[in-house]
Amino acid sequence: MNKTTASDVERNTLTQPSRRLSDRLATILISVGGTGVILVVAAIFVFIAYETLPLWIPPSIEHSSSLKPSDTLGTLHVVGVDEYQLVAYGVTSRGALVAYDLRNSRMLAVELTESSDTLSAAYSDVQEGTVTWTTRSGRIKVSKIMVSRNPAQPESIRGVSFKEIGSFQVPPGIVIKKVVGKQLRDGGIGTAALSDGGEVYYFHSRTTENRITGKTVEERSESQLPVSTDEVISCVALDHVGSKVVAGTDRGALLVWNVQDPDEPTFVERTEVREGDTLSAVEFLLGDQTVIVGSVRGTVRSYTWVADTLSSIGRKLVFLNTFNSHSSRIESITISPRSKSFLTLSTDGEALLHYQTTAKTLLQVETPSRLQFAAFSPKGDGIIALSNDGVTAFRIDNPHPEVSMHILFGRVQYEGYAEPTYTWQSSGGTDDFEPKFSLMPLLFGTMKGAFYALLFALPLALFAAIYTALFAHPKIKNVVKPTVEIMAALPSVVIGFIAALWFAPVLEQSFVAITTTAVLIPLSVLPGIVLWKLLPAKLTHRLPAGSELLAIFPSLILIGYAGYLLGPWIEQVLFDGNYRQWLYEVLGVTYDQRNSIVVGFAMGFAVIPIIFTISEDALSSVPQHLTAGSLALGATRWQTAMRVILPTASPGIFSAAMIGFGRAVGETMIVLMATGNTPLMNWGPFVGMRTLSANIAVEIPEAPHLGTLYRVLFVSGLLLFLFTFVINTVAELIRQRLRQRYSTI
Amino acid sequence: MKQFLRSGDLFIWLTGVFLGICLLMISGLLLLIGLQGIAQFHPREVHFIEYQDQEGNRLLAFGQIYSSEQIPPDVLQQKGFRGASQREARRYLVRVGNRDIFGEDFKWIMGPTVTRDTLLANALVLEREENGNAYGILTTLRAPRGQHFETELDAWRAFERFHPLVRSLVHEVRDIEKREMGETNDAIRSLRLELRLMEYELEQGRLQPDQFQEAQRHIDAEVSKLELVLARQQDRIDSLRMHLAEYEIGLRVYAPEGEERVRIPLASIVRAYKPNIMSVSQTIAFYGEKVWEFVSDDPREANAEGGVFPAIFGTVLMVLLMSLAAVPFGVLAALYLREYAKQGLLLRIVRIAVNNLAGVPSIVFGMFGLGFFVYFVGGGVDRMFFPERLPNPTYGTGGILWASLTLALLTVPVVIVATEEALAAIPRGIREGSYALGATKWDTIRRVVLPSATPGIMTGTILAMARGAGEVAPLMITGVVKLATEMPFDSTFPFFHLDRKFMHLGFHIYDVGFQTSNVEANIGMVYTTALLLIIIILLLNLTAITLRARLRRKYRLVGF
């Protein structure tokens, strides 16, 4: 259209300057605006892709501050840090509690307890800010750090103090070599202690206040956990609710006690986790469903409890993942209070950060000198490490550790699962819930929905297009095409609503009758033909070719009625009067009311118009002389259609099917309404599904902005975008080539 | 016959059957929605049904039959209705209403257990503001100054006299509440916001403390003045309410076990009618009234009753805003692609890409709208212009502006494609004629090309509007809500509140049909809303189709 460039120059000299200016301005404006619009449209893709990028950024760690504590109170044993990573605290070898300001190494608080007694073991739990330690004289203390600050400005610290929340005494003469102490969820204090001799003691105290009298009562209990093997216990762990104590032995077994009743702990199970290896560290992961086990050889593995009907306690420990090994004995395992991350530390000072679900080792924590202890910050976004040089604080930037390619597309064994599965379960009731982001059930559901839709729509649309383009009378054509356009314009929310609230119950009630009708439909040709032949030949000959449709309508209605009448009878004869019961008893399938058939029907209804229009277009634009030639050679209408027109137009029909498929893949409202939206992986026609698009619609309003779920949903959106875009582009290219071919024939 | 088979005519018939099915499905669907949608307003008769329970006790049900269905064979066997034949074995969904007294609105009654089914002439249906319909027989009416009407006839006459009066008072109360008190509250709120802004400036150090205290005193004084106004308005409402409470009717209702008498304040009754003795003209009038209520009123009872006016308004405004964004830019892009850009491979790729954007799932656009418009742009606007309101978002949450822009992106390809087609259809001779007369390119486009292409652009616009009006998925995440208390356009400055959330007919269907508990009661409403939406979209489409047909004819004549 733009062939006037050559004369532009000449004309410009003749036209008025104002008009020349406005012409120039318009050119600039339209060019800028036009490219702008196109760029904006392209930006959609870029933006969606950009939102998913942070998922793939590897975690990073950076040194934030360090301090050198004074040695006058003894050397630090374990450390912890507050939630803003400003206050570092710990217990020293002489049993002194100290707290420092990480910004300026200033000592904020110190509390000396029973000085001159040396520490034998210590434990730090950053989640509640507690430090537990035990002395050679057999005293166990649990203290909590209290940081008071200005709520508006968390950086300004008003004061730091320690509060003793638990104190226990080990039987005389026994030296504790490992201790675990926690403030439990119910407010009680639980402490498990392992002695040099391999005995495990459990101490528990809980202070309750009587609501009426206001008096406080302290319940205390201490007990030695019963052991029935001759193995030597080498490490011990306690969960966050005070119900389980786990210990590792020198022969690679895990022993589990139930300490829910602290007065009478009971031995529950013994599981061999590693043949012959001495276990050196064990710890519960956040959520208490999984334990991480480290051995003297430096290996790290995780085990989880799964339901087991054969076991007397209803569950058993199974192997979950192996992580990168250390080259020496694992000294300690500390867990993140916010995620399924944990940190392993070995004798040679190597510290590795792992993520349980992905079984990945994310990074290594490095300090200038040998690392002795490391713990997470309460928000899980930092690490505080204790080395020969003093205390070092790190910040870790690892916003989305729970996602990897394997998580999204592979089988993953989650906590509490007996085997690897594809599971989508993005949120749960509790904070320690492990989100499961497998896109496979959603991809599966998407494909299944589109498959059922095409199964229904493709034959209908295609044959209808063949009839309309090749056989129907032009007058019928003039009615059919606008009708189909109206069908295309129907909002999918209306189709979905009819499918779910009208069609689904009707189908459930008269499934057999409807199936019967569907089977009978091809037969409906017969009464039509009979009717046609019955009409006086004079009349039928006078009607132009392609008027068959007039006879087809009544016979279709007739067949529909026959199916309606036959249905109950067939159900009685074949399925004993109740097909749902029959399905359940004979085939073992349950019938969901909103199932794949309903979706296939509704979504098929939605894609029929597009398949019909495109294939009708391809068929009717086959050059006239091909048809005429074939008919002139004596071929019948059907032969011409099958041998000449259909092969020529087949690329167009193929692209129609592809575009229809793309439409079905992206359809949201129909699937949202007409299925139960359960992310199943089951091809069965009587169960529902959840598709990518419906999943986005359901979950994105609840997804926290820039959170992992939000980004994972953007990944699924990106997949949808790419998939439909590629399909449509290929289909469009095929159509363009076809058009070119038509013009050359 | 053999020849018939060989000729393949049988297969032609078969393909015809498939076309027939398609046509039957579409017409069936339209018929279903049409009939159900229209039937929603039909004044159903009130049945007085006596039936027996398992133990043979005689029970009563008094209400409208909403639907009936065949009893499944297994239920039939279980309950042991052996005497009943298949044909009689139906069960009826009866709306017994009086939810406040009986607890449930609907009741299934087994056909074979019914012993008596009569229509009482004076059966009364009361549509109420809340608690759904009440069914019963009018017994008394009390009005102020000791006016008592003790017989059914007197009470009904009195009802017809007093009810319009009472309703107008109710509307007055609502008007005071919504408009006058709303304005006062708005004024108070904006004063508080002003104060909050100053506080913010104070924190930022842009305001001196004494200036702030001065302003604070001033604002506090204003607020207390307004609060006085508010109290006066509340007083007026209270006295009106007190007066209204003096009107009440006595109703005889039928619990399953027998009669009960209840009192219902007249003010809570929206409409009362006696469907069993309605004449044809009364039915038509009733029908008209209901249709008018549907299109002009606010929803009641969690969207299950009343009208859908806010949804219609929201849909229309959203579509208009969307066209305002999509059409100019779409035309601009099409002009560029067709008239200015260098035709070549790159342009072909761009054209295909633009074409295919129409096939990208709408939910992906919605997602983009949420991420880009709501969180990125909206969040940025909030940080720039409304920092004092944070963390409460102003534009950083879904709203009609973001929803319209999202849909504009979705429909801009439709406009581009249609405009390009229209531009391509203009014969070259027309342009060349213009150039020959010395017109510049812009002159030609403005005076010759665009006017000729207008019908094509219109077609594209209308198709885009139709597509936009029917989309729901992207709206669900960019600003549509089930019940918007404030419209995006009202009488308070600055009149258009594009940050507000809105209601939408399509979402209304989804919400009422799928996110409420009482689906039986709501389904009629869903059908009617669907019918309305379909009518709007079909009208838009038919306009586009006729426009296009006219356009084609025109260019056949002009063509070379």
Side-chain angles (χ1 to χ4, degrees):
Chain A
M1 301 300 129
N2 187 7
K3 300 253 166 108
T4 51
T5 358
S7 56
D8 275 351
V9 189
E10 253 171 78
R11 200 173 49 237
N12 281 349
T13 56
L14 296 173
T15 39
Q16 294 157 355
S18 68
R19 282 171 58 208
R20 212 156 60 207
L21 186 72
S22 66
D23 186 46
R24 185 99 28 97
L25 273 179
T27 309
I28 294 169
L29 194 78
I30 292 176
S31 303
V32 169
T35 32
V37 170
I38 290 157
L39 284 181
V40 162
V41 163
I44 295 176
F45 172 75
V46 177
F47 181 83
I48 293 177
Y50 178 78
E51 289 286 80
T52 67
L53 278 187
L55 287 179
W56 317 116
I57 293 175
S60 63
I61 183 163
E62 63 174 35
H63 173 268
S64 69
S65 55
S66 52
L67 66 94
K68 196 144 177 63
S70 71
D71 279 345
T72 48
L73 297 163
T75 52
L76 271 172
H77 252 240
V78 291
V79 285
V81 68
D82 76 321
E83 58 178 324
Y84 296 96
Q85 297 179 50
L86 301 173
V87 181
Y89 57 89
V91 60
T92 69
S93 56
R94 286 169 56 193
L97 288 162
V98 283
Y100 293 94
D101 191 324
L102 271 169
R103 290 166 295 187
N104 49 21
S105 301
R106 201 159 52 89
M107 190 181 274
L108 292 170
V110 60
E111 195 157 316
L112 300 165
T113 47
E114 295 163 58
S115 55
S116 82
D117 198 5
T118 46
L119 218 63
S120 68
Y123 182 86
S124 147
D125 178 22
V126 288
Q127 196 165 8
E128 300 290 342
T130 61
V131 173
T132 310
W133 76 97
T134 143
T135 58
R136 292 230 156 244
S137 60
R139 196 107 197 110
I140 299 180
K141 295 248 182 211
V142 186
S143 280
K144 185 168 182 158
I145 185 166
M146 317 292 268
V147 181
S148 73
R149 52 181 104 230
N150 179 355
Q153 286 161 298
E155 295 83 26
S156 72
I157 295 158
R158 283 187 186 145
V160 176
S161 63
F162 291 97
K163 182 185 170 195
E164 185 180 296
I165 53 174
S167 172
F168 308 100
Q169 179 66 48
V170 185
I174 286 170
V175 175
I176 297 299
K177 66 172 182 182
K178 273 186 181 161
V179 69
V180 185
K182 276 172 184 167
Q183 184 163 23
L184 306 172
R185 292 277 149 84
D186 65 353
I189 311 297
T191 303
L194 174 66
S195 75
D196 266 346
E199 299 111 14
V200 182
Y201 296 90
Y202 183 66
F203 303 93
H204 179 266
S205 73
R206 189 161 167 247
T207 310
T208 45
E209 192 183 312
N210 189 319
R211 287 262 172 89
I212 302 160
T213 58
K215 270 188 192 163
T216 55
V217 184
E218 194 186 16
E219 303 163 45
R220 295 179 67 90
S221 53
E222 42 185 280
S223 47
Q224 187 181 345
L225 301 184
V227 182
S228 55
T229 62
D230 55 350
E231 295 164 88
V232 179
I233 292 173
S234 49
C235 52
V236 66
L238 167 68
D239 69 359
H240 293 86
V241 288
S243 74
K244 276 198 227 87
V245 170
V246 168
T249 71
D250 60 339
R251 288 193 217 148
L254 282 178
L255 309 177
V256 183
W257 291 272
N258 180 351
V259 293
Q260 227 147 15
D261 178 1
D263 290 320
E264 268 180 67
T266 48
F267 177 72
V268 181
E269 59 186 317
R270 175 182 185 277
T271 313
E272 293 266 343
V273 294
R274 199 191 308 256
E275 202 76 38
D277 254 2
T278 300
L279 303 182
S280 59
V282 60
E283 182 61 285
F284 280 91
L285 200 63
L286 178 71
D288 297 332
Q289 282 192 55
T290 302
V291 284
I292 312 291
V293 178
S295 76
V296 287
R297 290 200 300 163
T299 54
V300 182
R301 294 171 136 204
S302 59
Y303 296 85
T304 188
W305 276 279
V306 300
D308 180 26
T309 45
L310 295 176
S311 146
S312 59
I313 47 167
R315 59 191 160 80
K316 63 174 182 190
L317 256 183
V318 298
F319 168 70
L320 212 50
N321 288 312
T322 304
F323 302 86
N324 282 6
S325 295
H326 290 258
S327 45
S328 60
R329 172 192 164 95
I330 304 293
E331 285 297 332
S332 74
I333 299 170
T334 45
I335 63 152
S336 161
R338 286 293 171 92
S339 69
K340 305 286 177 184
S341 306
F342 61 95
L343 199 65
T344 51
L345 179 68
S346 57
T347 319
D348 57 1
E350 189 184 28
L352 297 177
L353 178 67
H354 312 269
Y355 195 79
Q356 201 294 119
T357 318
T358 52
K360 275 191 178 168
T361 299
L362 304 173
L363 46 86
Q364 185 175 356
V365 183
E366 278 167 13
T367 46
S369 64
R370 201 177 69 84
L371 233 157
Q372 294 163 344
F373 181 82
F376 281 91
S377 70
K379 281 182 176 168
D381 55 354
I383 288 172
I384 184 108
L386 184 64
S387 65
N388 289 347
D389 269 359
V391 178
T392 318
F394 299 92
R395 283 191 181 276
I396 37 180
D397 185 22
N398 185 23
H400 310 292
E402 60 270 63
V403 174
S404 69
M405 273 296 173
H406 181 71
I407 291 283
L408 293 181
F409 300 106
R411 279 182 198 276
V412 177
Q413 185 172 4
Y414 295 100
E415 288 186 339
Y417 281 58
E419 58 197 22
T421 51
Y422 297 119
T423 310
W424 173 274
Q425 200 182 351
S426 62
S427 54
T430 55
D431 285 345
D432 50 27
F433 170 81
E434 181 179 38
K436 302 170 184 69
F437 291 128
S438 175
L439 292 180
M440 293 307 277
L442 309 175
L443 282 168
F444 181 92
T446 307
M447 290 302 146
K448 182 184 172 190
F451 170 77
Y452 275 95
L454 282 199
L455 206 65
F456 170 70
L458 207 54
L460 269 177
L462 206 58
F463 286 123
I466 290 176
Y467 185 81
T468 316
L470 307 180
F471 308 123
H473 190 263
K475 270 190 184 155
I476 291 178
K477 222 169 163 173
N478 286 344
V479 177
V480 169
K481 293 198 80 173
T483 314
V484 173
E485 269 181 19
I486 284 173
M487 194 169 165
L490 276 181
S492 58
V493 66
V494 172
I495 299 177
F497 140 66
I498 293 290
L501 294 185
W502 181 79
F503 182 65
V506 166
L507 183 73
E508 187 185 21
Q509 207 180 12
S510 13
F511 179 73
V512 182
I514 289 172
T515 328
T516 315
T517 315
V519 173
L520 286 180
I521 274 175
L523 295 181
S524 68
V525 183
L526 299 175
I529 294 173
V530 171
L531 199 77
W532 196 251
K533 297 285 170 195
L534 279 181
L535 286 174
K538 239 186 194 171
L539 187 71
T540 47
H541 277 294
R542 199 180 296 164
L543 282 170
S547 305
E548 298 94 338
L549 205 60
L550 299 176
I552 284 170
F553 269 117
S555 59
L556 262 181
I557 291 165
L558 205 69
I559 286 292
Y561 189 66
Y564 173 75
L565 289 184
L566 273 176
W569 181 77
I570 290 178
E571 189 172 356
Q572 199 66 50
V573 171
L574 290 183
F575 308 116
D576 205 19
N578 188 341
Y579 77 94
R580 295 182 58 170
Q581 207 167 343
W582 186 87
L583 277 178
Y584 186 71
E585 280 167 7
V586 179
L587 302 178
V589 237
T590 46
Y591 183 95
D592 292 347
Q593 194 191 51
R594 292 180 186 175
N595 54 37
S596 305
I597 300 176
V598 176
V599 173
F601 202 77
M603 210 142 72
F605 192 92
V607 297
I608 281 175
I610 187 123
I611 301 182
F612 175 88
T613 311
I614 296 172
S615 42
E616 203 270 344
D617 196 40
L619 286 165
S620 57
S621 51
V622 168
Q624 194 71 45
H625 54 262
L626 288 181
T627 325
S630 165
L631 288 174
L633 288 171
T636 61
R637 284 200 294 167
W638 179 249
Q639 284 167 334
T640 309
M642 282 294 114
R643 306 269 170 81
V644 179
I645 302 178
L646 214 55
T648 322
S650 58
I653 290 169
F654 179 68
S655 81
M658 280 177 78
I659 291 176
F661 185 68
R663 227 10 101 75
V665 161
E667 181 50 60
T668 310
M669 288 317 284
I670 292 179
V671 231
L672 188 63
M673 297 160 99
T675 70
N677 287 312
T678 35
L680 298 171
M681 291 183 88
N682 180 338
W683 278 112
F686 302 115
V687 291
M689 68 200 90
R690 179 185 275 205
T691 67
L692 284 171
S693 52
N695 185 56
I696 295 174
V698 170
E699 306 230 350
I700 211 167
E702 311 295 326
H705 183 216
L706 302 184
T708 306
L709 174 60
Y710 178 83
R711 295 202 194 278
V712 169
L713 289 175
F714 267 78
V715 172
S716 63
L718 188 67
L719 283 180
L720 267 181
F721 185 100
L722 285 178
F723 189 77
T724 47
F725 202 81
V726 167
I727 279 200
N728 285 328
T729 308
V730 172
E732 183 63 29
L733 289 177
I734 292 174
R735 275 174 70 196
Q736 288 199 352
R737 278 191 59 181
L738 185 70
R739 231 172 275 148
Q740 241 165 29
R741 220 171 79 194
Y742 282 161
S743 59
T744 54
I745 293 175
Chain B
M1 198 66 203
K2 216 174 194 176
Q3 198 211 333
F4 178 81
L5 278 177
R6 196 173 302 154
S7 72
D9 276 3
L10 180 67
F11 298 108
I12 297 181
W13 278 83
L14 252 180
T15 56
V17 164
F18 282 97
L19 178 62
I21 295 171
C22 288
L23 295 180
L24 270 185
M25 278 196 323
I26 174 75
S27 42
L29 181 83
L30 291 180
L31 207 68
L32 175 75
I33 295 174
L35 287 180
Q36 294 275 9
I38 290 169
Q40 153 78 351
F41 301 136
H42 184 72
R44 293 187 171 89
E45 285 165 338
V46 177
H47 291 252
F48 181 83
I49 299 171
E50 284 178 26
Y51 64 104
Q52 288 173 330
D53 67 0
Q54 233 84 327
E55 286 87 42
N57 297 323
R58 176 178 163 278
L59 296 176
L60 294 178
F62 190 67
Q64 295 169 312
I65 295 179
Y66 266 62
S67 69
S68 70
E69 63 178 37
Q70 203 93 50
I71 303 176
D74 47 336
V75 179
L76 209 59
Q77 261 166 19
Q78 216 176 14
K79 301 253 171 167
F81 304 131
R82 282 189 204 291
S85 70
Q86 275 279 348
R87 189 171 301 260
E88 287 165 354
R90 296 187 74 79
R91 55 182 177 188
Y92 299 89
L93 184 63
V94 183
R95 183 171 190 182
V96 291
N98 305 329
R99 200 163 62 214
D100 44 339
I101 317 166
F102 304 156
E104 52 182 353
D105 231 350
F106 284 82
K107 187 178 268 177
W108 281 102
I109 293 179
M110 300 286 170
T113 61
V114 173
T115 52
R116 205 177 127 206
D117 179 2
T118 48
L119 299 176
L120 301 179
N122 49 8
L124 187 67
V125 181
L126 298 176
E127 284 178 19
R128 296 182 292 179
E129 297 270 359
E130 49 197 24
N131 289 324
N133 286 1
Y135 301 97
I137 300 208
L138 191 63
T139 51
T140 57
L141 190 141
R142 278 164 183 274
R145 293 189 300 279
Q147 301 181 73
H148 287 200
F149 304 89
E150 298 291 348
T151 66
E152 201 266 334
L153 196 67
D154 285 349
W156 179 242
R157 279 204 192 118
F159 178 87
E160 285 184 322
R161 186 150 51 89
F162 287 126
H163 187 245
L165 185 87
V166 166
R167 284 306 288 177
S168 71
L169 285 180
V170 169
H171 286 301
E172 199 180 323
V173 168
R174 202 165 295 160
D175 195 54
I176 296 173
E177 259 174 356
K178 243 180 128 172
R179 208 171 48 78
E180 295 184 21
M181 289 178 81
E183 274 168 23
T184 323
N185 274 322
D186 275 350
I188 292 177
R189 200 163 44 201
S190 66
L191 280 172
R192 293 229 164 101
L193 263 176
E194 213 174 293
L195 191 67
R196 181 74 198 86
L197 184 67
M198 284 186 201
E199 246 168 50
Y200 179 78
E201 303 237 298
L202 185 72
E203 276 166 28
Q204 303 283 312
R206 277 179 292 197
L207 203 69
Q208 297 305 314
D210 50 331
Q211 276 177 307
F212 174 73
Q213 268 154 15
E214 166 69 31
Q216 194 178 23
R217 256 198 307 282
H218 177 71
I219 286 175
D220 281 348
E222 287 287 307
V223 167
S224 53
K225 241 187 265 172
L226 283 170
E227 271 166 352
L228 258 172
V229 174
L230 209 60
R232 267 204 303 279
Q233 285 161 339
Q234 188 60 49
D235 281 351
R236 262 171 70 207
I237 288 179
D238 287 346
S239 71
L240 275 171
R241 285 231 171 96
M242 213 120 87
H243 176 68
L244 281 173
E246 290 180 55
Y247 294 91
E248 63 174 21
I249 60 163
L251 198 69
R252 187 163 76 233
V253 299
Y254 296 92
E257 293 79 25
E259 293 179 17
E260 271 177 39
R261 275 162 200 279
V262 293
R263 295 173 175 284
I264 296 173
L266 207 54
S268 73
I269 299 166
V270 177
R271 184 181 290 111
Y273 57 97
K274 296 179 172 177
N276 294 0
I277 50 165
M278 262 191 183
S279 68
V280 178
S281 61
Q282 276 171 325
T283 310
I284 292 171
F286 176 81
Y287 209 96
E289 197 186 318
K290 287 287 271 187
V291 171
W292 176 244
E293 183 194 13
F294 179 71
V295 295
S296 68
D297 233 344
D298 285 350
R300 281 185 281 126
E301 300 253 359
N303 293 353
E305 301 269 343
V308 292
F309 177 70
I312 299 176
F313 187 86
T315 311
V316 169
L317 186 63
M318 193 272 300
V319 167
L320 287 180
L321 282 173
M322 175 204 84
S323 322
L324 221 58
V327 174
F329 286 107
V331 171
L332 206 63
L335 271 180
Y336 173 72
L337 286 177
R338 192 46 73 181
E339 307 281 334
Y340 285 88
K342 216 174 117 212
Q343 309 289 318
L345 183 68
L346 185 71
L347 201 70
R348 229 183 107 201
I349 293 171
V350 167
R351 201 163 277 154
I352 289 178
V354 168
N355 251 334
N356 289 349
L357 267 185
V360 168
S362 56
I363 189 76
V364 176
F365 283 94
M367 192 168 202
F368 173 78
L370 179 74
F372 184 74
F373 290 130
V374 175
Y375 287 141
F376 184 72
V377 181
V381 167
D382 276 2
R383 276 190 300 276
M384 293 266 288
F385 300 107
F386 307 103
E388 77 279 5
R389 300 191 197 178
L390 286 172
N392 290 339
T394 311
Y395 279 92
T397 174
I400 193 164
L401 179 64
W402 304 140
S404 310
L405 287 180
T406 305
L407 280 197
L409 275 182
L410 186 82
T411 50
V412 95
V414 180
V415 179
I416 294 179
V417 171
T419 310
E420 269 214 78
E421 254 172 38
L423 292 176
I426 297 165
R428 207 160 80 209
I430 291 182
R431 277 173 237 255
E432 282 168 359
S434 165
Y435 289 140
L437 290 171
T440 62
K441 190 169 187 173
W442 172 237
D443 288 335
T444 309
I445 289 173
R446 195 162 52 123
R447 299 277 166 78
V448 180
V449 174
L450 274 184
S452 323
T454 306
I457 297 171
M458 291 278 288
T459 313
T461 308
I462 295 167
L463 283 179
M465 287 167 101
R467 166 119 200 245
E471 277 295 347
V472 177
L475 302 181
M476 278 165 61
I477 54 182
T478 53
V480 101
V481 283
K482 59 187 296 166
L483 194 66
T485 43
E486 294 171 313
M487 301 268 241
F489 174 80
D490 62 20
S491 57
T492 45
F493 187 78
F495 310 118
F496 278 102
H497 306 279
L498 298 182
D499 56 323
R500 283 191 188 161
K501 298 191 187 294
F502 65 108
M503 289 173 75
H504 182 270
L505 283 173
F507 183 73
H508 200 75
I509 295 174
Y510 172 66
D511 176 62
V512 178
F514 292 82
Q515 304 199 309
T516 48
S517 49
N518 202 353
V519 176
E520 287 109 343
N522 303 349
I523 194 156
M525 190 73 173
V526 186
Y527 273 113
T528 323
T529 315
L531 181 64
L532 183 67
L533 183 62
I534 288 182
I535 288 174
I536 292 175
I537 287 173
L538 286 194
L539 279 180
L540 284 171
N541 268 285
L542 287 178
T543 323
I545 290 173
T546 32
L547 251 174
R548 197 176 49 197
R550 196 171 293 170
L551 185 74
R552 279 188 188 150
R553 259 204 309 281
K554 186 173 153 196
Y555 285 114
R556 250 207 315 272
L557 294 178
V558 188
F560 281 69

